[in-house]
């Protein structure tokens, strides 16, 4: 009877107040053909969510400077590249990458691609997306296939949690990205979920990218206090040693390049901390999982990651149930 009352009450209230009727600080709530969307306006940041309870798609800080999120780590890409004159953002979202690049690399030419036009509309209305950056509403891979332009930096931010478009996870896709990089250019991929170990989704993605960019040209950097991992892959440049990924990623070189190109001491010293988090991706071998258009099992690998997280989180509660019974379990979750 209690369940029936709750069902009737929520059925009556929800259509009148919005799907997430318990939220009190929503600036916008609606749907696109791809997503359920919430814009939440907080004192220090504006958040775009694509899920009722969780699933933050984009966060924009109201103060300028470093965000304290994965966007900061990704700013190593322009310093790792031989040049930093142009950037392409696949998965533009609300434009946080673009705003950060504009702040630190104001002369950089930036192009954005975002599949969801409604998100682009919200970016202009609520997130102060730079109006001088062209944004095309299109699938990122399809856009690359139709383009002949090349860039110094390509930022791939189209993955959300374990929701990874299979067409943007294969050797064919990353080969296409590599072809759109200038010599010495760098791709950075935001891998939202840290899932490690043999057979994990991140291992498959890392091996796939390393198979395209070659040995020694791929690095990862985990973002502290988050589940984000940034992967950097460099297209070989002139062949000179000083332009290699190994040299460019050393703390001193990364700092010096960052300051030379941006003039920002804050970003310069942050890059030294980023350099300490770099981890080389080893060359894949015959046992590695290489994702291709014919075999891009990202959904299966993603579900394995979710299953492991559930198992890890549920473990302590199983023990409480065993030791203290159902009453103890109820007390533990209150």
């Amino acid at each position: 009877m209690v369940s029936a009352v709750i069902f009737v009450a929520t059925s009556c209230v929800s259509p009148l107040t919005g799907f997430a009727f318990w939220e009190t600080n929503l600036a916008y709530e609606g749907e696109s053909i791809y997503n359920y969307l919430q814009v939440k306006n907080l004192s220090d940041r504006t958040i775009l969510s694509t899920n009722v309870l969780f699933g933050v798609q984009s966060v924009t800080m109201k103060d300028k400077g470093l965000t304290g999120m994965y966007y900061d780590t990704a700013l190593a890409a322009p310093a790792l590249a031989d040049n930093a004159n142009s950037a392409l953002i696949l998965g533009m979202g609300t434009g946080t990458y673009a705003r950060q690049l504009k702040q630190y690399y104001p002369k950089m030419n930036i192009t954005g691609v975002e599949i969801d036009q409604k998100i682009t509309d919200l970016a202009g209305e609520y997130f102060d997306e730079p109006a001088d950056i062209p944004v095309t509403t299109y699938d990122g891979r399809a856009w690359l296939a139709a383009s002949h332009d090349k860039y110094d930096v390509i930022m791939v931010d189209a993955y959300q949690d374990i929701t990874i478009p299979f067409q943007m996870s294969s050797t064919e896709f990353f080969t296409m990205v590599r072809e759109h990089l200038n010599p010495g250019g760098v791709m950075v991929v935001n891998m939202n979920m840290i899932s490690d170990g043999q057979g994990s989704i991140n291992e498959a993605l890392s091996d796939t990218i390393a198979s395209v960019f070659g040995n020694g040209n791929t690095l990862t950097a985990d973002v502290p206090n988050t589940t984000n991992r940034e992967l950097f892959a460099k297209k070989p440049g002139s062949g000179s040693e000083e332009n290699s990924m190994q040299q460019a990623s050393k703390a001193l070189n990364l700092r010096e390049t960052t300051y030379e190109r941006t003039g920002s001491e804050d970003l310069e010293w942050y890059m030294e901390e980023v350099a300490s988090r770099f981890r080389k991706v080893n060359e894949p071998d015959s046992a590695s999982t290489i994702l291709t258009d014919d075999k891009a099992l990202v959904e299966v690998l993603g579900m394995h990651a979710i299953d492991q997280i559930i198992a890890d989180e549920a473990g302590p509660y199983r023990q409480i149930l065993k030791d203290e019974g159902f009453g103890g379990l109820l007390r533990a979750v209150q």
Side-chain angles (χ1 to χ4, degrees), residues 12 27 49 66 105 127 134 140 177 240 250 264 311 331:
C12 295
S49 295
L66 296 173
Y105 295 86
F127 294 86
V177 172
S240 57
K250 290 182 178 179
S264 170
R331 289 191 295 272

Side-chain angles (χ1 to χ4, degrees), residues 116-129:
D116 195 332
Q117 178 63 52
K118 187 62 180 178
I119 289 180
T120 301
D121 295 340
L122 294 175
E125 184 174 356
Y126 295 100
F127 294 86
D128 194 28
E129 184 174 84

